[in-house]
Amino acid sequence: MTEKPASLKFKKLKTPTLEIDGLEFAIGKLLEEEEWAEPMGPTPKPEITDLRSWDRRMLERYKPYYMPFLDICPALCTYGPCDLSAGKKGACGLDINAQASRIVLLACCMGASAHGAHGRHLLDHLIEEHGSDYPIDLGDKVEVEAPLTRLIVGIKPKTLGDLVEAQNYVEEQITHCVSSAHTGQEGDNIDYESKALHVSMCDSLAMEIADLAQIVGYDLPKGEPDVPLIELGAGTIDRTKPVILVIGHNVAAGAEIVDYLQANENYDFDDIELCGICCTALDISRYSDRAKVVGAMYEQIKFIRSGLADVIMVDEQCVRTDILDVAKEVKTPVLATLNKMALGLKDRTHDSVDQIVSDLVSYKEPGALILEPEVSAEVAVKLAMAIAPERKKFKVIPDMEEFNSMINKCINCELCKRACPLDLEIPAAMTAAKQGDLQPLAELHNVCIGCVRCEGICREGIDILSVIEKAAEKYVKEEKYKVRAGRGPITDVEIRDVGAPIVLGEIPGVVAIVGCPNYPNGASEIGLLAEEFLKRRYIVVASGCGAMDIGKYRDEEGQTLYEKYPGYFDAGGLVNVGSCVSNAHIDGAVIKIANIFARRPLRGNYEEIADYSLNRVGAVGVAWGAMSQKAASIGTGANRLGIPVIVGPHGGKYRRFYMGRSEKDEDWNVYNARTGEEMYVGPAPEHLIFGAESIEECIVATAKLCLRPNDTTKGRAIKLTHYIDLHQKYIGTFPDDVHKFVRTEADIPITMKDKVIEHLKEKGWEPSEVPDPTLLPRLIRKPKS
């Protein structure tokens, strides 16, 4: 059943004592029978403790490992700060583990609320544009249109209006989870973790709502594998045209610019260059292949200081909060378009467009807050055309005289190197530049994440990032790549084709490259990661900043990976699902494998689907550059669904991993659903969230975490082949734990048989049965009498 709002209308109501024209009664909600044969499962719209038993079962195996920065409470209340060292408790009663898990919960709540608010804005805006009855239609290749909504909320949305019920649920649960972090509420670290898992599950749902709404509302690609290749990189920007730069995550205002250019007789794409940074860039390129993608979020200061952007439009999330100050340096006006980021600008929403443009062209104001997308689009286009001729001379990137003056100021104190989160060799590069060799400085461009911490600490006031960009000027102009437009969902047709090979292990795994660009050694590492697994016939899925940076990696023949590999969700396919909110389609693909291939009930049946994913679907998320609170909630949401996630070295700053103990055999027991017997299956997957210290360790761990208890002997042999080969290639040794993953001799890779058998003998290995694995006693099939 689904709830529908209902009302009664009367043109005229007449009684013996009363006569009223045009009366309408709102009578709450009526129940309407769904055209959906699937029965409701046990947990529709789960409250924060409804899936607690599943969380605690997983966390018995994957125990939280905490890395607090300090043993002092961060003092969210006025009791503290309190000393939490050596088993001590704070004045509120929390020990250091509970306090660390509380901070993790708050980070996940922030991430979920960012996507939730994003979805609410899009949903309300598109319902206003199209009406609540606007149909959700993803074409004839997608019947399971909203797997997370069906799974968590228990409804099958048919219209934009139906998504409101799911959106209301998300917001309600975020409120409950935030409240539990208040002083004097939750006290147990595992229950904090359960709430972090819960709100992060809601984050996954919020992302699905947001992307589903914008796919149907803006007619974005609906799962088509052969979407266009989009121009990527600063070098693709036509410097002879006025340039509008959009930054953020909400496509609404950017889409209106596209509409304005397509509908207006005076301006079009031949007159204006529309480009973007971060996820808004991906989404406007899904809307129009004439839009260009500059790159990931670390490009913000680099690109703005170049002076190329004549107008900057920002919306929400992952925008530098000092962007107005950076833009002022190059006389670029900033248009803020959402109430979440007003930047102290005057609200000009209801003012005359011509007056706004006049005030900004004359630099009377540095920017404007415009909360109507149509108005902000018109202002952006007219402003860019008017101001571009005046801005040709503005840039912060120094000329050679200024460049030499800056580098000669350097006293080699090394404070910049110590402040740099990547420990870049800035002082050595400065010294080389003084001697006439600019190459070391230019090479820093490829790894610098644009945080400008170096500039904030420089005693001599050197604009270090600008110096780096000047040294790399030739390379920046040549940055011309390709990224495949975000395609949205994985189709049901694709799931039917790959479900069996993935579950049986014959496709060795699905590697999802997601997260932020806070990389330890530059973006080329995730290109290497993607190429390594594409060559080995894994399915590689990407989103957000990771999807963009994969596009900046070229193979030995100079091709980008998107040009070389197809966009199909199949072995050897490289799939860009889209922006951050499109991460929901990655979780959705795992859910649909359980539902479409294995015919597991979906509706309100979270535990069973998560159990299926953990034990059978070889999917791994890699957030190599995790940075934001959203990355924390995206990863934790995948964890609740049984999907392991690997983060890079900076991921430890989230303060918590979920680590398995492979040496504790009792942690790796499952039920054999055929017999009810409890049995050992080995540490597969070994961790739920794990931090790798190098890309080499990450690549090996990715292959290892694709192992699942349900692998057939053929599938296990294929997966072990890759794990062993990658371990030898990147670590230089034969892995010492292969015996834990060989169940019968049929699991042994044929090409490595002698070495593996020798290893098994050394370890005293004994064969074991391949079970039908589950962690849920209720899924044990009782034998027929």
Side-chain angles (χ1 to χ4, degrees):
M1 307 286 281
T2 186
E3 293 181 333
K4 296 284 184 181
S7 63
L8 292 176
K9 296 181 181 179
F10 300 91
K11 289 184 178 180
K12 179 172 286 191
L13 179 65
K14 189 173 182 180
T15 72
T17 58
L18 184 67
E19 183 174 326
I20 302 176
D21 290 331
L23 180 65
E24 180 175 349
F25 284 105
I27 57 172
K29 296 192 174 183
L30 293 176
L31 292 178
E32 180 182 276
E33 186 65 35
E34 277 276 16
E35 295 175 11
W36 191 9
E38 190 167 284
M40 186 67 82
T43 54
K45 294 186 181 178
E47 297 291 335
I48 57 175
T49 56
D50 286 351
L51 295 171
R52 181 173 178 259
S53 60
W54 168 251
D55 298 336
R56 295 188 78 90
R57 176 65 186 89
M58 281 206 302
L59 296 176
E60 286 174 11
R61 175 189 285 183
Y62 302 107
K63 292 179 172 58
Y65 176 75
Y66 297 108
M67 298 153 288
F69 295 152
L70 300 168
D71 53 13
I72 300 293
C73 168
L76 296 175
C77 69
T78 60
Y79 283 144
C82 297
D83 179 6
L84 302 180
S85 63
K88 296 177 182 177
K89 292 183 178 181
C92 69
L94 292 181
D95 63 15
I96 195 164
N97 283 347
Q99 188 60 258
S101 57
R102 180 190 186 202
I103 298 299
V104 171
L105 168 61
L106 285 171
C108 292
C109 287
M110 289 180 195
S113 64
H115 288 137
H118 181 180
R120 171 61 73 179
H121 174 267
L122 281 172
L123 195 54
D124 288 350
H125 175 67
L126 291 168
I127 287 175
E128 184 178 345
E129 288 281 310
H130 301 296
S132 60
D133 292 333
Y134 194 77
I136 293 173
D137 181 3
L138 299 185
D140 58 4
K141 294 182 180 177
V142 179
E143 292 183 7
V144 183
E145 73 302 300
L148 283 153
T149 304
R150 292 186 180 202
L151 177 66
I152 299 167
V153 186
I155 63 172
K156 181 167 69 170
K158 298 178 183 178
T159 66
L160 286 176
D162 291 341
L163 292 175
V164 173
E165 183 177 348
Q167 181 69 35
N168 290 343
Y169 166 76
V170 167
E171 292 163 1
E172 175 190 73
Q173 296 306 304
I174 291 173
T175 302
H176 286 308
C177 290
V178 172
S179 75
S180 70
H182 188 277
T183 301
Q185 297 244 48
E186 187 57 78
D188 179 75
N189 73 299
I190 301 299
D191 274 317
Y192 268 129
E193 295 294 347
S194 177
K195 291 172 173 64
L197 289 163
H198 183 75
V199 80
S200 299
M201 175 195 73
C202 294
D203 180 45
S204 301
L205 174 59
M207 289 189 290
E208 179 175 89
I209 294 166
D211 207 37
L212 192 55
Q214 68 182 11
I215 286 171
V216 299
Y218 292 114
D219 195 25
L220 305 186
K222 299 176 173 66
E224 299 92 344
D226 54 349
V227 288
L229 288 170
I230 304 298
E231 289 189 271
L232 166 69
T236 67
I237 307 305
D238 186 342
R239 297 165 185 242
T240 67
K241 296 180 182 179
V243 176
I244 300 173
L245 174 69
V246 296
I247 308 176
H249 283 72
N250 193 311
V251 74
E256 291 293 342
I257 295 176
V258 173
D259 291 347
Y260 187 82
L261 291 174
Q262 290 175 339
N264 197 285
E265 295 179 358
N266 299 316
Y267 314 109
D268 60 26
F269 274 106
D270 293 329
D271 303 310
I272 292 277
E273 193 80 332
L274 177 61
C275 60
I277 288 174
C278 219
C279 283
T280 292
L282 284 176
D283 282 340
I284 60 168
S285 68
R286 295 165 79 185
Y287 192 53
S288 169
D289 60 7
R290 296 292 299 274
K292 295 177 180 177
V293 178
V294 174
M297 63 174 292
Y298 59 79
E299 300 281 6
Q300 291 182 47
I301 289 187
K302 297 179 183 182
F303 191 79
I304 295 168
R305 284 187 177 180
S306 73
L308 283 177
D310 293 301
V311 176
I312 297 170
M313 176 185 281
V314 298
D315 47 77
E316 62 179 316
Q317 303 169 37
C318 300
V319 181
R320 285 193 63 94
T321 53
D322 62 349
I323 196 162
L324 191 61
D325 295 330
V326 178
K328 283 178 183 177
E329 294 177 10
V330 290
K331 301 288 188 181
T332 303
V334 175
L335 303 179
T337 62
L338 279 175
N339 55 11
K340 304 178 194 72
M341 183 185 297
L343 299 175
L345 295 169
K346 188 182 295 184
D347 188 348
R348 306 293 300 273
T349 305
H350 303 294
D351 291 355
S352 156
V353 167
D354 291 340
Q355 187 60 56
I356 298 170
V357 171
S358 175
D359 290 346
L360 298 183
V361 167
S362 64
Y363 302 112
K364 183 178 178 181
E365 298 285 347
L369 174 64
I370 304 175
L371 299 175
E372 289 294 337
E374 299 90 342
V375 179
S376 64
E378 184 178 356
V379 170
V381 173
K382 290 183 174 179
L383 178 58
M385 295 297 294
I387 205 170
E390 302 296 320
R391 290 199 60 268
K392 296 295 184 187
K393 59 183 180 293
F394 293 120
K395 62 178 182 176
V396 173
I397 304 302
D399 58 27
M400 282 309 298
E401 183 179 344
E402 294 169 320
F403 174 83
N404 288 324
S405 174
M406 282 194 194
I407 62 173
N408 285 323
K409 286 183 181 179
C410 178
I411 59 174
N412 219 254
C413 65
E414 298 204 346
L415 287 175
C416 54
K417 184 175 186 291
R418 288 199 285 273
C420 176
L422 306 187
D423 198 33
L424 295 181
E425 291 290 348
I426 301 169
M430 286 285 202
T431 300
K434 291 179 187 179
Q435 297 167 356
D437 181 8
L438 303 188
Q439 190 62 26
L441 265 180
E443 289 175 354
L444 294 181
H445 165 78
N446 294 321
V447 291
C448 172
I449 59 174
C451 68
V452 294
R453 288 181 63 177
C454 55
E455 293 184 2
I457 204 168
C458 179
R459 292 174 177 173
E460 302 302 313
I462 302 170
D463 293 336
I464 296 171
L465 181 60
S466 296
V467 168
I468 292 170
E469 292 304 292
K470 179 62 179 179
E473 196 168 27
K474 176 178 179 292
Y475 301 105
V476 173
K477 289 178 179 178
E478 295 172 352
E479 284 187 330
K480 297 181 180 181
Y481 309 98
K482 297 287 186 182
V483 58
R484 189 173 290 117
R487 54 164 283 179
I490 311 304
T491 67
D492 298 11
V493 174
E494 289 170 302
I495 295 296
R496 290 187 185 97
D497 288 342
V498 302
I502 289 173
V503 171
L504 301 179
E506 292 163 13
I507 291 177
V510 179
V511 179
I513 299 174
V514 301
C516 316
N518 188 22
Y519 311 120
N521 293 299
S524 62
E525 290 189 332
I526 64 165
L528 171 67
L529 173 80
E531 186 180 37
E532 186 66 75
F533 287 100
L534 286 165
K535 290 190 296 188
R536 294 170 181 271
R537 306 283 291 163
Y538 287 68
I539 301 172
V540 176
V541 187
S543 66
C545 287
M548 294 180 244
D549 282 330
I550 287 173
K552 292 187 175 182
Y553 181 88
R554 298 188 191 275
D555 67 7
E556 294 175 355
E557 286 76 42
Q559 274 191 309
T560 65
L561 297 183
Y562 289 108
E563 293 171 294
K564 184 174 181 179
Y565 293 96
Y568 292 89
F569 189 78
D570 203 346
L574 175 56
V575 180
N576 175 19
V577 290
S579 58
C580 273
V581 292
S582 304
N583 278 305
H585 304 307
I586 302 173
D587 290 348
V590 172
I591 292 166
K592 292 208 285 189
I593 288 170
N595 178 236
I596 294 172
F597 162 68
R599 300 189 181 281
R600 297 295 176 103
L602 190 56
R603 190 180 189 185
N605 192 31
Y606 193 91
E607 277 189 326
E608 182 174 352
I609 298 299
D611 178 74
Y612 187 93
S613 166
L614 178 69
N615 285 297
R616 299 166 192 270
V617 183
V620 177
V622 180
W624 191 236
M627 178 278 297
S628 69
Q629 293 85 19
K630 294 190 307 171
S633 58
I634 290 168
T636 306
N639 292 158
R640 196 183 216 188
L641 196 57
I643 303 172
V645 174
I646 302 170
V647 297
H650 296 305
K653 296 171 187 175
Y654 286 131
R655 301 175 174 86
R656 181 265 284 133
F657 293 149
Y658 291 146
M659 306 280 285
R661 274 62 168 181
S662 62
E663 72 281 0
K664 296 184 68 173
D665 289 357
E666 63 272 20
D667 285 354
W668 304 102
N669 288 338
V670 301
Y671 296 106
N672 186 340
R674 290 189 294 265
T675 65
E677 178 187 2
E678 196 170 347
M679 57 187 298
Y680 173 79
V681 289
E686 186 173 10
H687 307 296
L688 264 190
I689 187 163
F690 164 73
E693 290 299 313
S694 68
I695 194 63
E696 292 81 8
E697 184 184 9
C698 175
I699 289 171
V700 174
T702 299
K704 185 177 180 180
L705 290 176
C706 285
L707 294 162
R708 292 294 185 275
N710 188 67
D711 296 336
T712 62
T713 53
K714 179 182 177 182
R716 180 58 63 91
I718 292 170
K719 292 185 180 185
L720 284 176
T721 298
H722 294 299
Y723 170 49
I724 294 168
D725 184 55
L726 288 167
H727 199 285
Q728 292 179 145
K729 179 178 179 179
Y730 288 103
I731 308 299
T733 61
F734 186 90
D736 192 49
D737 58 357
V738 170
H739 62 289
K740 294 179 182 291
F741 306 112
V742 177
R743 302 157 303 181
T744 72
E745 288 197 17
D747 288 345
I748 299 173
I750 295 173
T751 58
M752 304 173 176
K753 190 167 186 178
D754 292 344
K755 179 65 178 174
V756 173
I757 287 176
E758 179 186 345
H759 169 82
L760 296 179
K761 287 178 179 177
E762 289 175 2
K763 298 294 183 178
W765 171 83
E766 295 287 340
S768 60
E769 183 184 347
V770 179
D772 181 4
T774 180
L775 297 183
L776 302 175
R778 68 181 178 85
L779 297 184
I780 295 170
R781 297 190 296 274
K782 296 178 181 178
K784 295 179 181 179
S785 55

